[in-house]
Amino acid sequence: MSGAGEGEAEDISTVDNYQRLQIAPNPDGTITRLAKFPESPPTSDPKLPTPVLSKDIPINESKNTWVRIYLPRHALDHSSSKLPLVVFYHGGGFILFSAASTIFHDYCVGFATDVPVIIASVEYRLAPEHRLPAAYEDATEALHWIKTTPDDWLRDHADLSNTFLMGISAGGNIAYHAALHADVDRLHPLKIHGLILQQPFFSGTQRSGSELRLANNPAFPLSSSDLMWDLSLPIGASRDHEYCNPTVGDGCKKLDRMAVGRRVLVTGWDGDPLIDGQIEVAKMLEENGVHVVCHFAEGGYHGVDIIDASKGEALFVVVKNFIFSQTAS
């Protein structure tokens, strides 16, 4: 999710990807994030004219993790009818952005309005300062925090027994691994009914057809993707590590413990270099007894659902059907 654009471009393989991602490596293994992405504050005052209220609550102050909760305004007037809860993990290749980033804040406001749902958008630790599995640990810690928090918005308006894990790009990867690592018994009364993987960030050492075809895609060139994995995976791990490539090794053997009610929605665009990998993960899930709903569309690019409001609104319809069809079943 480093930019916008679609289709092929001139060869950009010689571009410095640190510069492209607007980061600078430091001798101690950390990075300096040179870009200052706009951030939006939460809006919790019901007197303000906003369709969705939001507020930030700490999860683990020692890790500086927190959650931004989004509550559709109309829920305040219908306290007897609780809404599904979506636990959302933002994108950014594990190294960029925040739950407060305007691009994700605005997306969550639109999502909570159109679907409608209550959203808990999780602020997790970033790599390379905190390499994987740190983000997965924060993701599952957030679930346990949600089930025990005395927060009145979640207590009074969220149906914890009807929870969905959702993420875009790296956030989709985090949602997938959170579902694998979550302890179902310890989460009660929170019950995960489904998993929503929006253009999930997966790869491998063997290049897929779409990675080769779109290696120089201006929205998300393969070299930038590789750098993000280099900065995020455990030191010395290859892209065939289970965090990056769930289709190799023992990945499929771990699906038995997936805490998502065995239902997964996978979305993508054929202008995204990652689409073939996303399709392979969907096939692996289906072959192992998971009910998979695929929504792969023509055109687009990596991150288009966030950047292009019309594409995002169209996806909200798909997600709404998935969430409420599971609710009814």
Side-chain angles (χ1 to χ4, degrees), residues 46-306:
K47 297 178 182 178
L48 295 175
T50 176
V52 176
L53 304 175
S54 56
K55 63 180 175 181
D56 295 343
I57 307 176
I59 294 178
N60 188 323
E61 294 186 5
S62 68
K63 297 177 181 177
N64 196 29
T65 57
W66 46 272
V67 64
R68 177 166 293 185
I69 301 174
Y70 295 85
L71 176 71
R73 174 186 294 277
H74 68 77
L76 295 174
D77 302 323
H78 300 84
S79 57
S80 62
S81 178
K82 294 188 175 183
L83 294 173
L85 173 67
V86 172
V87 183
F88 181 79
Y89 306 104
H90 68 80
F94 303 107
I95 66 172
L96 298 172
F97 294 107
S98 161
S101 295
T102 297
I103 193 170
F104 292 111
H105 174 82
D106 290 349
Y107 183 78
C108 287
V109 168
F111 184 33
T113 302
D114 288 4
V115 174
V117 292
I118 293 174
I119 299 175
S121 180
V122 178
E123 177 74 349
Y124 54 85
R125 290 171 293 170
L126 298 179
E129 293 82 3
H130 305 282
R131 289 176 175 266
L132 298 175
Y136 305 153
E137 293 167 354
D138 297 342
T140 54
E141 184 176 27
L143 298 178
H144 289 282
W145 176 87
I146 289 169
K147 82 148 196 174
T148 59
T149 181
D151 175 70
D152 58 335
W153 285 7
L154 293 177
R155 182 193 64 227
D156 297 339
H157 304 293
D159 181 1
L160 297 189
S161 69
N162 191 24
T163 296
F164 295 80
L165 305 188
M166 176 177 179
I168 180 169
S169 190
N173 178 296
I174 292 170
Y176 175 87
H177 285 282
L180 286 181
H181 291 90
D183 186 330
V184 178
D185 295 332
R186 291 184 58 211
L187 285 179
H188 184 79
L190 186 151
K191 182 176 181 181
I192 302 172
H193 267 266
L195 184 61
I196 302 165
L197 307 181
Q198 186 179 352
Q199 292 188 283
F201 190 28
F202 296 118
S203 189
T205 55
Q206 183 174 344
R207 300 301 191 189
S208 70
S210 59
E211 285 179 325
L212 293 173
R213 176 172 56 90
L214 296 166
N216 294 322
N217 176 265
F220 198 41
L222 197 55
S223 53
S224 292
S225 171
D226 289 351
L227 177 57
M228 287 175 161
W229 281 117
D230 288 344
L231 293 171
S232 304
L233 288 168
I235 293 175
S238 76
R239 290 192 307 277
D240 276 339
H241 191 284
E242 63 181 291
Y243 297 161
C244 181
N245 188 354
T247 68
V248 299
D250 294 333
C252 63
K253 295 180 180 178
K254 297 180 179 180
L255 293 177
D256 287 341
R257 67 173 189 246
M258 181 173 276
V260 297
R262 310 292 288 176
R263 289 174 174 153
V264 180
L265 169 64
V266 186
T267 76
W269 294 86
D270 69 359
D272 180 359
L274 307 183
I275 188 170
D276 283 359
Q278 295 158 0
I279 291 172
E280 285 303 310
V281 170
K283 288 180 179 177
M284 178 200 71
L285 292 170
E286 201 161 37
E287 289 170 355
N288 284 274
V290 178
H291 176 69
V292 180
V293 177
C294 291
H295 182 78
F296 294 110
E298 295 182 355
Y301 49 87
H302 194 73
V304 68
D305 303 322
I306 295 289

